Amino acid sequence: MAKSSSLNVRVVEGRALPAKDVSGSSDPYCLVKVDDEVVARTATVWRSLGPFWGEEYTVHLPLDFHQLAFYVLDEDTVGDLAPRDISGTSDPFARVFWGSQSLETSTIKKTRFPHWDEVLELREMPGAPSPLRVELWDWDMVGKNDFLGMVEFSPKTLQQKPPKGWFRLLPFPRAEEDSGGNLGALRVKVRLIEDRVLPSQCYQPLMELLMESVQGPAEEDTASPLALLEELTLGDCRQDLATKLVKLFLGRGLAGRFLDYLTRREVARTMDPNTLFRSNSLASKSMEQFMKLVGMPYLHEVLKPVISRVFEEKKYMELDPCKMDLGRTRRISFKGALSEEQMRETSLGLLTGYLGPIVDAIVGSVGRCPPAMRLAFKQLHRRVEERFPQAEHQQDVKYLAISGFLFLRFFAPAILTPKLFDLRDQHADPQTSRSLLLLAKAVQSIGNLGQQLGQGKELWMAPLHPFLLQCVSRVRDFLDRLVDVDGDEEAGVPARALFPPSAIVREGYLLKRKEEPAGLATRFAFKKRYVWLSGETLSFSKSPEWQMCHSIPVSHIRAVERVDEGAFQLPHVMQVVTQDGTGALHTTYLQCKNVNELNQWLSALRKASAPNPNKLAACHPGAFRSARWTCCLQAERSAAGCSRTHSAVTLGDWSDPLDPDAEAQTVYRQLLLGRDQLRLKLLEDSNMDTTLEADTGACPEVLARQRAATARLLEVLADLDRAHEEFQQQERGKAALGPLGP
């Protein structure tokens, strides 16, 4: 058995680094290598010669290692994308292909050094393994996009060693133009996960164990199967597990009890109220994921107007004198540069001009906050008061527990990175990112109820402190009203009811076309319309300000599918097939701007219509034009569909439909990782005698419950192991018979 040691490393900062870019700056990051193998990499600090990283790592080292090394590199020095525009730059975006699926990144304008940092998730359909291909393109407003290069990975490479690192861009096979070796490089990371989801009845015993955990008395919290699962889950896995568990309990109408269970355990082991929920525990991650699952429409309603203003107005704001660009005003208006004091006053006015509406929207949103969130905060409020009843804790702890989640883990992160919360389609440019950072810092300070104002290194935020302190009393009043809600839990409420049917799930401009109008050319048949999708209707109007002129009940939708590009000689078209009261089918065609927008609309429409009965098993991927279907050439408009539908193919996001079998499989996989620890725990508990119980203060009844819970979990895991093995044998048997078997 190979032995190893652990080394804790913190990469703090760099100083006086050399300039590597034509701008006179660098974009540095740090690599940690052991014997020439990269074991850690910091984030890139853009445009800095004195970067601060402050990142920590635990590095596992073999005892016979020879060298530990640190490398500081400039992000741009690894490769240059080829210039395709007359300006000498490009507008690059990436397309990822795997099997029959494809996704696109956002487009980054006017750069040869794009930095996306986006995660694209593709799910391959059953069949022969497919290669993964990543193409880079230069977006052009007029004419066709220009090809920049590609990388491709074979199925064998994906399975044996998932690619991670920089890869030289190659031309298309048999490309007419020689690239000359100047296409640059692309850094990617790929993780391939294969999983088998069993039928629902296989997971029923595991589900029963989990549900029993949150419905038992409080004194059994430490001895439940859910407590064992929490102990076995390490930090890296907690977020994914928290998402699955929240969905499982939402589907059973027990999300409130689940969160209350984790809260009880968290507050019981917390001695200092100032550290409550500050770690990334399962309780913290579960509440965080619960807010995203239940509260995203609420978040959009509160923050989107101001976030949109920040992006559109592009005002320059800066309070840190070390970062102020005092010559900016001279370059823009030719009236001379502002002094540092003038820049501070101008920026302060702009910041408060954005913060004021943000705070107004938040404190005025009590009635719009989802009832499930308010009930969860009410339970949290009660548990914290019970745990810390002392007078000195009453003033702030009951508020900080809630504001720590709502402000520090919900509102502030959404302001800092709007794209990750679907508030924007694109990443912010560097100037807007800085403005969002200042706003997020201010909202964090308000969420901390002003406790840390004047502390730490950011004393340059002091001009904003009077405004922030004025907001604190309003926030306390808001939190009091937020938890003043009737009811103790949402038990028995269907998960779909947690999302108001009238809430807008997705909206934006699309090109709309009804079924083939006689004698109307294709380009005139598609009309620009503003589209809203809620849980009840798909509605259309000429603009967001106009009254809705047409709507389709979501309950009438029978299929939502892509349309072949050849049907209208147009890309990114989908069809919504509906059925009226007479049973007749009608098709509405919608064109999106790009493949990502198409996938998002397909996913949203399929999720909204998931409960509908009488879904179509097949439809036409073409259009009925010139008296025949463009896909199968059948001459009857009523001819049966020639391609199967894909109602279950959706993107993973906060509005995902609940899938208890897939979520239970994730829990099972996590328990498998800790099965050896469970066995060891059962052995230790069984061998523990009364003397040891007395020495450790362990209660015999608690130990007995722990042994029983551990034994039941191991038994459930063994049953699931056998079920997986049976299905594997069935699959091997089918493969052996082949297509000509009986």
Side-chain angles (χ1 to χ4, degrees):
M1 181 181 292
K3 295 183 178 180
S4 64
S5 58
S6 295
L7 179 69
N8 293 322
V9 177
R10 187 178 187 216
V11 182
V12 184
E13 62 181 325
R15 292 182 180 175
L17 299 182
K20 292 294 185 179
D21 297 344
V22 293
S23 62
S25 187
S26 291
D27 305 312
Y29 64 95
C30 182
L31 294 180
V32 183
K33 289 188 176 183
V34 174
D35 291 341
D36 207 34
E37 179 181 4
V38 177
V39 295
R41 183 204 192 280
T42 69
T44 300
V45 179
W46 302 100
R47 295 202 294 261
S48 175
L49 299 180
F52 178 83
W53 291 290
E55 301 185 22
E56 295 187 14
Y57 309 94
T58 298
V59 184
H60 298 284
L61 304 174
L63 294 179
D64 58 349
F65 84 95
H66 294 88
Q67 185 184 48
L68 172 68
F70 297 85
Y71 295 83
V72 177
L73 302 175
D74 176 45
E75 184 83 17
D76 295 348
T77 60
V78 182
D80 303 340
L81 293 180
R84 294 299 189 194
D85 297 342
I86 57 175
S87 61
T89 64
S90 292
D91 302 319
F93 67 94
R95 285 178 181 159
V96 183
F97 298 87
W98 195 36
S100 60
Q101 299 191 57
S102 65
L103 290 174
E104 288 183 4
T105 67
S106 57
T107 300
I108 301 180
K109 299 295 184 67
K110 298 181 181 178
T111 182
R112 293 172 61 193
F113 309 104
H115 181 82
W116 287 285
D117 196 21
E118 297 183 21
V119 176
L120 305 179
E121 182 176 338
L122 300 94
R123 297 183 180 181
E124 176 66 317
M125 304 300 291
S130 302
L132 179 77
R133 186 172 78 254
V134 183
E135 299 176 0
L136 257 63
W137 292 83
D138 169 45
W139 178 85
D140 283 332
M141 181 178 296
V142 180
K144 295 193 299 183
N145 297 330
D146 298 315
F147 178 69
L148 293 174
M150 61 171 280
V151 292
E152 187 169 86
F153 307 101
S154 68
K156 184 177 180 181
T157 299
L158 295 175
Q159 293 170 354
Q160 292 182 348
K161 188 177 181 181
K164 181 180 180 181
W166 286 92
F167 300 89
R168 179 62 56 184
L169 290 174
L170 302 174
F172 266 135
R174 300 180 299 278
E176 296 181 2
E177 296 180 3
D178 181 18
S179 65
N182 296 321
L183 293 177
L186 174 70
R187 181 167 55 87
V188 296
K189 178 182 178 181
V190 178
R191 183 179 62 166
L192 179 62
I193 299 176
E194 297 181 342
D195 219 342
R196 180 185 291 101
V197 179
L198 301 173
S200 299
Q201 63 268 22
C202 297
Y203 298 107
Q204 195 58 36
L206 177 59
M207 295 284 286
E208 290 175 357
L209 284 181
L210 295 176
M211 301 304 144
E212 289 173 9
S213 298
V214 304
Q215 299 184 78
E219 56 269 17
E220 296 183 5
D221 285 355
T222 59
S224 70
L226 192 54
L228 294 172
L229 176 61
E230 182 182 8
E231 293 171 6
L232 294 173
T233 307
L234 300 178
D236 292 344
C237 303
R238 282 178 185 151
Q239 180 160 319
D240 187 42
L241 180 64
T243 302
K244 304 303 183 185
L245 287 173
V246 169
K247 288 187 174 183
L248 278 174
F249 285 97
L250 269 175
R252 296 296 183 95
L254 294 172
R257 292 188 182 183
F258 168 65
L259 295 172
D260 187 42
Y261 169 89
L262 294 178
T263 297
R264 292 198 306 260
R265 285 178 54 79
E266 182 85 358
V267 299
R269 57 176 173 250
T270 302
M271 304 306 296
D272 182 359
N274 295 314
T275 64
L276 191 61
F277 298 112
R278 296 291 173 160
S279 65
N280 288 323
S281 63
L282 186 60
S284 298
K285 286 296 183 184
S286 295
M287 180 64 85
E288 191 175 312
Q289 295 305 308
F290 173 76
M291 290 190 298
K292 289 182 180 179
L293 286 167
V294 175
M296 285 293 270
Y298 164 65
L299 177 84
H300 283 211
E301 191 174 0
V302 171
L303 293 183
K304 194 166 187 176
V306 180
I307 296 299
S308 297
R309 275 185 55 208
V310 175
F311 272 80
E312 292 161 5
E313 295 175 0
K314 296 187 180 297
K315 301 290 188 180
Y316 179 77
M317 301 177 285
E318 186 55 74
L319 295 180
D320 185 353
C322 297
K323 297 181 181 295
M324 285 184 180
D325 183 1
L326 298 178
R328 180 179 178 82
T329 306
R330 177 183 301 175
R331 294 194 300 271
I332 295 176
S333 65
F334 306 101
K335 293 181 179 180
L338 293 177
S339 67
E340 183 178 305
E341 182 61 29
Q342 290 173 319
M343 178 68 76
R344 184 181 298 110
E345 290 299 319
T346 300
S347 298
L348 184 62
L350 291 171
L351 280 169
T352 55
Y354 291 123
L355 280 172
I358 289 177
V359 175
D360 290 343
I362 292 174
V363 300
S365 67
V366 171
R368 289 172 288 169
C369 184
M373 280 180 64
R374 297 183 65 184
L375 289 169
F377 291 143
K378 178 180 179 179
Q379 291 174 332
L380 173 62
H381 181 269
R382 182 172 70 246
R383 296 301 178 188
V384 172
E385 280 192 322
E386 292 172 353
R387 177 66 177 87
F388 301 104
Q390 298 90 342
E392 63 268 23
H393 297 317
Q394 286 295 318
Q395 184 63 25
D396 283 329
V397 172
K398 65 179 182 181
Y399 295 113
L400 285 170
I402 302 172
S403 65
F405 283 117
L406 194 57
F407 283 79
L408 275 62
R409 293 178 181 258
F410 198 46
F411 289 139
I415 293 170
L416 183 62
T417 53
K419 188 178 187 298
L420 300 184
F421 288 78
D422 291 334
L423 288 166
R424 299 291 296 183
D425 292 331
Q426 304 290 341
H427 290 297
D429 58 53
Q431 176 185 316
T432 305
S433 291
R434 179 61 183 173
S435 299
L436 294 172
L437 175 62
L438 294 174
L439 291 171
K441 285 178 179 291
V443 170
Q444 278 185 323
S445 297
I446 295 172
N448 281 322
L449 306 182
Q451 286 191 350
Q452 300 177 7
L453 293 181
Q455 303 177 19
K457 298 181 179 180
E458 297 177 344
L459 298 180
W460 46 266
M461 289 282 287
L464 199 56
H465 290 176
F467 177 86
L468 300 180
L469 290 173
Q470 291 175 6
C471 297
V472 169
S473 60
R474 299 179 65 197
V475 168
R476 284 197 176 98
D477 176 68
F478 161 70
L479 296 175
D480 281 332
R481 290 182 287 117
L482 193 68
V483 299
D484 184 15
V485 58
D486 293 332
D488 294 322
E489 57 189 350
E490 80 282 10
V493 178
R496 189 178 176 93
L498 295 174
F499 303 90
S502 59
I504 301 300
V505 176
R506 188 161 187 84
E507 61 182 305
Y509 279 106
L510 297 176
L511 295 179
K512 174 177 175 285
R513 171 195 176 109
K514 294 183 179 180
E515 291 170 297
E516 182 74 12
L520 197 57
T522 298
R523 61 176 181 154
F524 296 112
F526 280 89
K527 297 181 179 180
K528 188 176 182 180
R529 291 292 183 264
Y530 197 83
V531 186
W532 291 270
L533 172 64
S534 72
E536 296 176 334
T537 60
L538 177 66
S539 304
F540 307 88
S541 72
K542 290 187 176 180
S543 72
E545 295 78 22
W546 281 55
Q547 288 186 338
M548 297 180 186
C549 57
H550 176 63
S551 66
I552 298 173
V554 168
S555 60
H556 290 187
I557 295 176
R558 297 295 176 260
V560 183
E561 296 296 319
R562 285 179 170 84
V563 175
D564 292 340
E565 189 166 328
F568 300 106
Q569 301 302 313
L570 293 172
H572 317 311
V573 177
M574 63 179 173
Q575 56 180 315
V576 181
V577 183
T578 58
Q579 189 173 37
D580 62 22
T582 66
L585 296 177
H586 305 275
T587 304
T588 299
Y589 298 98
L590 301 170
Q591 186 188 19
C592 304
K593 290 183 294 187
N594 53 54
V595 68
N596 276 2
E597 185 178 65
L598 173 64
N599 287 335
Q600 290 161 0
W601 273 104
L602 283 168
S603 183
L605 282 163
R606 287 170 180 171
K607 291 171 186 176
S609 60
N612 292 356
N614 304 321
K615 290 286 192 63
L616 297 181
C619 71
H620 291 282
F624 193 78
R625 304 183 62 198
S626 302
R628 66 178 183 177
W629 287 101
T630 60
C631 46
C632 57
L633 305 183
Q634 295 187 77
E636 295 292 331
R637 181 185 288 272
S638 59
C642 59
S643 178
R644 69 183 182 88
T645 55
H646 306 82
S647 60
V649 180
T650 59
L651 296 176
D653 63 17
W654 57 269
S655 60
D656 274 354
L658 305 179
D659 188 352
D661 296 339
E663 288 140 16
Q665 173 64 20
T666 300
V667 176
Y668 160 71
R669 189 170 64 239
Q670 182 60 43
L671 286 168
L672 278 185
L673 297 175
R675 177 154 53 184
D676 290 342
Q677 292 175 255
L678 284 175
R679 289 169 173 164
L680 181 61
K681 182 177 181 62
L682 181 61
L683 181 63
E684 291 175 346
D685 289 347
S686 300
N687 293 333
M688 184 175 291
D689 56 26
T690 55
T691 302
L692 186 56
E693 291 173 9
D695 292 341
T696 59
C699 174
E701 291 79 6
V702 173
L703 291 173
R705 288 197 296 268
Q706 288 177 340
R707 285 195 295 269
T710 306
R712 290 179 68 191
L713 265 182
L714 288 171
E715 183 180 344
V716 167
L717 290 180
D719 290 341
L720 283 169
D721 285 346
R722 286 190 289 270
H724 275 281
E725 180 59 31
E726 289 174 3
F727 273 87
Q728 284 181 326
Q729 290 177 357
Q730 292 176 12
E731 290 176 356
R732 286 194 290 265
K734 292 177 181 178
L737 289 173
L740 300 179

